Amino acid sequence: MLDWLLIDLDNTLLDFTAGANRSLKAALKAFEIEPSEGNIDIYHTINHQCWEAFEKGELDVDTLRRRRFELFVETLAVSVDAGKLNTFYLSRLSEQTDEIKGARQFLEWARIRYKLVLATNGFASVQRPRIARSQLQTYFEHIVISEEIGVQKPHAGFFDHAFEKMNHPPKERVMIIGDSQSSDINGGRNYGIRTCWLRQAGAKSDTPKNPSHLEVTSLEEIPGLIEG
Ligand SMILES: [Mg+2]
């Protein structure tokens, strides 16, 4: 039996990938950089490496924000102000609210059965407007954004903060649902709560099978697995 669901935002409820690609293309065009697949791939590779370094504590949040565009501009050898490119990109990104298939229906189902917490790693200036625009806040008792609390998934401090807000329920009555094995699933497992991995096409599981861990390929599968 579960009382609480911690639900990730990006690529779990909202399609971050679609919004990020659209925002990046707009930013590149605005700064007269070819918005080619190749250039976009270069950005994603650099961004991913920067977020990994951030998750390991090797970069602070301001350095992360700045550094990925500095490296991108250096790699492309273009004379563009990385700071301005970053600002333009984040401003567009904060408007993106594409939903993952079945997200709204899943939330409608979940809200009458469980108490929900939105648990997201990200920048407040990007996540808050996206949440407001898509009116997702109406589904959640609490919204936890890593930048606002100074600690991100998978670190225990993030979960400590969420548990404080939930008034410390028994861990076996809490499940995290998310698409990221490194932040959502490893974080949840290490914290001792139940986990549900929303597996994306092509992603391979590195989580041992056990009764407190579920794997699904769509949100629509979850009700049949946790109900009752
Ligand atoms: Mg995610």
Side-chain angles (χ1 to χ4, degrees), residues 8-14 16 119-121 153 177-181 183-184 198 200:
D8 171 53
L9 181 66
D10 285 329
N11 291 339
T12 297
L13 297 175
L14 294 185
F16 181 81
T120 176
N121 281 355
K153 299 175 285 183
I177 300 169
D179 68 296
S180 166
Q181 291 196 100
S183 59
D184 302 315
L198 181 59
Q200 304 209 315

Side-chain angles (χ1 to χ4, degrees), residues 42-54 58-76 80-87 89-90 123:
I42 289 169
Y43 171 77
H44 283 310
T45 304
I46 292 169
N47 181 48
H48 187 71
Q49 286 163 353
C50 287
W51 270 96
E52 276 188 346
F54 172 66
E58 296 165 7
L59 296 182
D60 65 31
V61 70
D62 289 328
T63 311
L64 163 70
R65 225 188 305 248
R66 206 181 54 239
R67 190 77 189 123
R68 51 197 187 154
F69 279 102
E70 286 172 357
L71 288 170
F72 177 67
V73 163
E74 275 172 33
T75 306
L76 264 55
V80 163
D81 185 322
K84 286 183 182 161
L85 185 59
N86 175 46
T87 302
Y89 168 73
L90 289 179
F123 303 129

